[in-house]
Amino acid sequence: AYSGPGSIYFTGVTHIQARAVQLMRADLLRFLPLSLLCMMVVLWLAFRSARALVLPLTSLSLGVAELLGVMGWFGTPITLATLVLPSLLLVIGGSYAVHVTAAVLDSEDEEGGLSIEDVLSRVGLPVFVSALTTAVGFGSLAFHPIPAIATLGLFAAIGVSLTTLGSLIGLPLAFAALPGRPHARKQRAARTEV
């Protein structure tokens, strides 16, 4: 450690790159939990059910984890451009998960039975079309001449596809595997009658 008069400043491309990586990791560790917390609040306020909070968040978290795994598999590092992907996918995929969760809760009968076909017939096409247009929009960025933007577009399209699959396939199956309590269904039905 230098203890003489004056100050030492580090400069150069290597130092800037190392510092940028440190800052990106810190931002990812700060914003991803904040995004999850915001999604938790929205899901709780919308559905007031632990099951309707945990299952969509699990589906979204798996989609984001799968995307990060795909990026690692292709050897693509998290850059300044792709740093926004986890939070972005939580928001985009969260809207799909909210629609599917609402359809699931509306489709459950008094005994807790759930028709996945009914859920998908109600929200499958709108969610799919919305996801398709979003993925195509992001995918068009994959042809951008700036590599960082092209990478963002490609992996955003993949991420939207993964979170959509989780919302349309995994989420109804998870709700079917973990039926709700009859008491909670009666309370929800009483709230909607008022």
Side-chain angles (χ1 to χ4, degrees):
Y2 178 74
S3 61
S7 301
I8 295 179
Y9 295 98
F10 294 100
T11 62
V13 174
T14 304
H15 175 69
I16 292 171
Q17 287 175 342
R19 184 71 179 133
V21 168
Q22 289 174 342
L23 292 173
M24 285 189 295
R25 286 184 181 154
D27 283 347
L28 188 61
L29 292 175
R30 182 179 325 127
F31 290 120
L32 191 56
L34 283 174
S35 299
L36 280 171
L37 181 65
C38 288
M39 279 304 303
M40 289 174 70
V41 169
V42 167
L43 289 169
W44 180 255
L45 291 175
F47 302 116
R48 303 222 187 256
S49 163
R51 185 174 67 124
L53 173 91
V54 172
L55 294 180
L57 280 179
T58 302
S59 172
L60 292 171
S61 298
L62 286 173
V64 170
E66 289 168 352
L67 174 69
L68 295 175
V70 168
M71 289 177 69
W73 189 40
F74 282 111
T76 304
I78 294 177
T79 63
L80 286 172
T82 58
L83 180 67
V84 300
L85 281 176
S87 297
L88 183 71
L89 290 177
L90 285 176
V91 172
I92 292 171
S95 67
Y96 306 147
V98 165
H99 289 294
V100 172
T101 300
V104 164
L105 295 178
D106 287 344
S107 296
E108 286 182 330
D109 60 23
E110 288 296 319
E111 292 78 40
L114 173 66
S115 169
I116 294 176
E117 294 85 13
D118 182 46
V119 171
L120 292 179
S121 70
R122 290 178 61 196
V123 296
L125 184 62
V127 168
F128 175 76
V129 170
S130 176
L132 180 66
T133 57
T134 304
V136 168
F138 278 123
S140 68
L141 294 175
F143 301 103
H144 199 279
I146 298 174
I149 294 175
T151 301
L152 170 68
L154 174 66
F155 286 108
I158 292 170
V160 167
S161 302
L162 291 171
T163 56
T164 303
L165 285 174
S167 292
L168 286 177
I169 296 170
L171 200 50
L173 290 174
F175 274 106
L178 298 169
R181 299 181 321 240
H183 176 69
R185 280 189 294 283
K186 288 178 186 172
Q187 282 181 335
R188 190 169 46 251
R191 276 198 312 259
T192 57
E193 289 175 7
V194 173

